[in-house]
C-alpha cells in the first residue's frame, strides 16, 4: 500500500480478503477522513469476541446482504474499530491481532504494548495449519 504503515512501523500488510475487509473493502485496515470509526485493528475473530460485540450492539455475525456484509465467523480476519477492540479488551474478550496488518493509527487509541500481548502470526493461507 502506498504510504500506509503498520503499528510496527513497516508497510501495512493485507488483513483479509475472504471475507473482504477494511473500511474501503480493499483487504487493508486503512483509514481516512471518511472512516469515523477508525477500522484499523486487524483482528482474528473469536466466538467470545463476536458474542460480546453482539451483546454491546455491534452484531458482526449476522449477514447483511444489503451492505455486502457476509457475517463473520471465528477464524475470520476483520478490520475492527480500534475503540471496539479496546472495549473488548477491557471486558476480557479481546481477539488476537495481526500487528503487520494493523494500521499505525490504532496506537492513538490502544497502546502498542497492549496490542503486542494479543499479537498472532496468521499465514496468508490458514489451511497450511491443518
Amino acid at each position: 500500500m502506498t504510504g500506509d504503515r503498520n503499528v510496527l512501523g513497516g508497510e501495512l500488510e493485507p488483513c483479509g480478503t475472504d471475507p473482504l475487509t477494511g473500511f474501503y473493502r480493499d483487504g487493508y485496515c486503512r483509514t481516512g477522513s471518511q472512516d469515523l470509526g477508525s477500522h484499523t485493528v486487524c483482528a482474528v475473530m473469536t466466538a467470545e469476541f463476536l458474542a460480546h460485540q453482539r451483546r454491546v450492539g455491534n452484531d458482526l455475525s449476522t449477514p447483511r446482504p444489503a451492505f455486502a456484509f457476509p457475517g463473520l465467523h471465528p477464524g475470520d480476519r476483520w478490520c475492527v474499530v480500534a475503540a471496539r477492540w479496546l472495549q473488548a479488551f477491557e471486558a476480557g474478550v479481546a481477539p488476537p491481532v495481526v500487528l503487520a496488518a494493523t494500521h499505525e493509527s490504532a496506537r492513538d487509541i490502544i497502546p502498542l504494548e497492549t496490542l503486542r500481548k494479543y499479537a498472532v502470526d496468521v499465514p496468508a493461507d490458514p489451511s497450511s495449519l491443518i
Side-chain angles (χ1 to χ4, degrees), residues 51-120:
H52 173 264
Q53 290 300 289
R54 183 182 292 223
R55 281 194 306 277
V56 299
N58 185 33
D59 183 1
L60 298 173
S61 302
T62 302
R64 299 215 178 352
F67 298 103
F69 180 70
L72 301 177
H73 306 283
D76 288 342
R77 290 194 280 180
W78 195 252
C79 296
V80 300
V81 171
R84 291 284 188 178
W85 189 94
L86 185 59
Q87 177 187 44
F89 166 76
E90 291 169 348
V93 293
V97 175
V98 182
L99 296 177
T102 296
H103 195 276
E104 66 185 345
S105 64
R107 293 184 314 208
D108 295 342
I109 297 169
I110 308 164
L112 180 57
E113 300 76 35
T114 301
L115 290 169
R116 282 185 188 273
K117 290 176 186 172
Y118 288 82
V120 63

Side-chain angles (χ1 to χ4, degrees), residues 11-79:
E11 186 174 334
L12 186 65
E13 294 182 8
C15 179
T17 57
D18 185 19
L20 188 59
T21 191
F23 178 78
Y24 299 104
R25 291 299 190 267
D26 61 359
Y28 290 82
C29 295
R30 298 184 308 118
T31 190
S33 60
Q34 299 137 333
D35 180 15
L36 302 179
S38 185
H39 295 75
T40 53
V41 178
C42 181
V44 181
M45 297 297 98
T46 64
E48 295 81 10
F49 176 75
L50 291 170
H52 173 264
Q53 290 300 289
R54 183 182 292 223
R55 281 194 306 277
V56 299
N58 185 33
D59 183 1
L60 298 173
S61 302
T62 302
R64 299 215 178 352
F67 298 103
F69 180 70
L72 301 177
H73 306 283
D76 288 342
R77 290 194 280 180
W78 195 252
C79 296

